[in-house]
Amino acid sequence: MSEEKENNAIPFFPDHVALEAKVALGFAVLLVIVGIIGLFLPVGLQEPADPMETPLHTKPEWYFLFLYQLLKFIPKTIGATAPVVAILILSIWPFIDRKPDKDPRAVRIRLIISIALVLIIIGLTIWGEVT
């Protein structure tokens, strides 16, 4: 019975490797054909994109609208780095400040600042959607 299984088996090296090489060659030929067609008959829907000029109709999703609106008021280098720095500071802050806070005045000041920042973000988001 073991001799029947050995006789029915297809060897891996010459047969399977040759088949895979033929498939890879077919894909390579197809890729070259598509590349040559694309070289001589390019498909262009509009003018090429200019990374230095944003079209007027472009708007980000709603969760980025406040950052988009903020870029209209501050320089672009600060506008691009400030949110990243703010997120890093907020991420690291619990590891830096470990003392218990017992002063109700400090808690109230932080609450007022947090509410003001949330209202500013909501206002900038609405303003960015309207304009």
Side-chain angles (χ1 to χ4, degrees), residues 40-102:
F40 291 113
L41 301 170
V43 178
L45 298 176
Q46 296 176 351
E47 66 276 355
D50 183 11
M52 300 307 291
E53 184 177 327
T54 304
L56 295 175
H57 65 278
T58 303
K59 267 190 186 176
E61 294 293 329
W62 66 269
Y63 41 84
F64 288 131
L65 274 174
F66 74 97
L67 293 172
Y68 181 72
Q69 193 67 20
L70 189 66
L71 284 175
K72 294 179 182 177
F73 301 111
I74 58 177
K76 290 187 184 202
T77 55
I78 295 173
T81 57
V84 176
V85 171
I87 289 173
L88 285 174
I89 289 173
L90 283 175
S91 300
I92 295 172
W93 194 264
F95 301 106
I96 296 172
D97 186 19
R98 291 186 167 245
K99 64 179 173 48
D101 197 10
K102 302 196 186 225

Side-chain angles (χ1 to χ4, degrees), residues 105-119:
R105 187 174 178 192
V107 173
R108 188 176 304 123
I109 290 172
R110 266 184 271 159
L111 179 66
I112 291 171
I113 291 172
S114 299
I115 289 173
L117 285 174
V118 168
L119 289 175

